[in-house]
Amino acid sequence: KLSLSSVAAIFGSLIGFLCASYIGRLIPLRLFSVLTLTCLMGLLVCISHSVTLAIVSALKLAEAVVNTLLWIIIPESFATCLRATAVGFVNGWGKLGGV
């Protein structure tokens, strides 16, 4: 059943791209971040399997929208040299942590 909720992630990526293209970036980012938080709070109470599946699907959709919007916003917000430095920093610590 949870594989059905993964389909929502595909639609979330499409919605994120369309929102970024036509509506803007910050308003949908804030809206879907609040939706993500609301869905996470909804998982604290288990009513039934169907309700849990609906909440998980909405959560995956909202997470995909936020992820897509962040991938669009970050290159527009930071210079290439700063992004390259951050990637190198994270990569270096990741390799050190892997040892």
Side-chain angles (χ1 to χ4, degrees), residues 62-80:
E63 287 174 348
V65 170
V66 169
N67 190 23
T68 302
L69 289 171
L70 284 177
W71 276 100
I72 294 171
I73 289 173
I74 287 175
E76 294 174 348
S77 300
F78 300 105
T80 303

Side-chain angles (χ1 to χ4, degrees), residues 33-49:
S33 294
V34 169
L35 180 63
T36 301
L37 181 64
T38 306
C39 290
L40 280 173
M41 288 188 302
L43 286 176
L44 294 175
V45 178
C46 184
I47 298 171
S48 71
H49 294 292

